[in-house]
Amino acid sequence: FTIVLPEHDAVIAMTGETSNMQGGLDLVWEHLLPAMKPAPLPADAAAHARLSERLAALALPLPVGKPARETAARVSGRTFAIAPGKHGITSVKLDFGDGGATFTARADGTEHRVACGAGKWVEGDAAFPDTPPRLLAGGAPPPGTRHKLAASGVWKDENAFEMTWRYIETPHHDTVTCRFEGDAVKVTFVSSLAAKRGKPGDPRPALSGRMS
């Protein structure tokens, strides 16, 4: 959404996906418009330094977990055949290394990979099915569109590896959990939208599979 203000020689672009656009416009009128003046503001070195420091320190919090070296070693690189379903995914696997893990899912003959950092965000892009989450129904990109993301993964306990996929060009993210029990895996998806809604939760079905 774009607001053109020729009297202030300004353009305001609002890119966050929201069902309450009026609320965003109200904030513009409440905070931005009163701050716009017909002449340049005097230089304020102290305020500029504070703003620069704050911008440089902005960061999304990293997920926190614990080591699970035995499970990671046991499942790393092993392919899990997924039971058939409407999701179209036929197999998944995780490859662990010192810098993190790579999650790979095969769907309709195509491999979809998401690299996750360990204690850091790793940027990449992916065309994983049914991503990214969307608040608004209209204007969805066609299937196969690659989306920029930053991902990180941690072990929540000895058997559950949890990945956070943050979609850089949207305000949304996915939490993807792989829970291992013996030679079985269950992969669940919870979008940031589903987490806020609570029950009935994310509409995407869990993936269940066994080690090939």
Side-chain angles (χ1 to χ4, degrees):
F1 189 81
T2 303
I3 306 169
V4 181
L5 302 170
E7 66 275 20
H8 293 294
D9 191 26
V11 175
I12 299 172
M14 305 174 70
T15 58
E17 187 184 29
T18 177
S19 60
N20 182 19
M21 182 58 72
Q22 186 59 53
L25 293 174
D26 291 345
L27 293 174
V28 170
W29 258 253
E30 181 181 352
H31 298 286
L32 292 184
L33 285 183
M36 293 183 176
K37 307 298 180 184
L41 295 174
D44 188 335
H48 184 268
R50 289 195 299 271
L51 177 60
S52 298
E53 182 179 353
R54 182 175 181 182
L55 291 176
L58 289 177
L60 291 168
L62 285 161
V64 178
K66 57 190 69 176
R69 296 181 181 87
E70 291 185 8
T71 305
R74 181 172 63 83
V75 303
S76 183
R78 302 300 299 270
T79 298
F80 290 80
I82 299 299
K86 64 178 182 180
H87 43 68
I89 295 173
T90 56
S91 69
V92 299
K93 70 172 181 174
L94 275 162
D95 293 281
F96 290 93
D98 293 338
T102 299
F103 177 78
T104 304
R106 177 174 284 275
D108 299 323
T110 300
E111 285 193 342
H112 303 276
R113 296 183 180 88
V114 178
C116 301
K120 62 182 179 181
W121 296 107
V122 172
E123 293 188 14
D125 59 66
F128 199 85
D130 298 323
T131 63
R134 287 182 60 82
L135 176 63
L136 305 178
T145 301
R146 303 194 71 82
H147 301 280
K148 297 178 182 178
L149 54 79
S152 185
V154 295
W155 288 95
K156 301 305 288 185
D157 58 46
E158 184 63 32
N159 296 309
F161 184 70
E162 181 181 282
M163 298 172 283
T164 303
W165 302 350
R166 293 192 176 274
Y167 301 95
I168 293 173
E169 295 178 341
T170 86
H172 309 309
H173 68 270
D174 270 322
T175 301
V176 184
T177 304
C178 300
R179 177 164 288 279
F180 301 95
E181 297 290 346
D183 64 350
V185 67
K186 183 176 183 180
V187 185
T188 56
F189 303 85
V190 179
S191 73
S192 48
L193 297 174
K196 289 182 178 180
R197 285 195 302 262
K199 294 181 178 180
D202 198 291
R204 291 170 290 184
L207 310 178
S208 297
R210 290 197 172 273
M211 194 179 293
S212 299

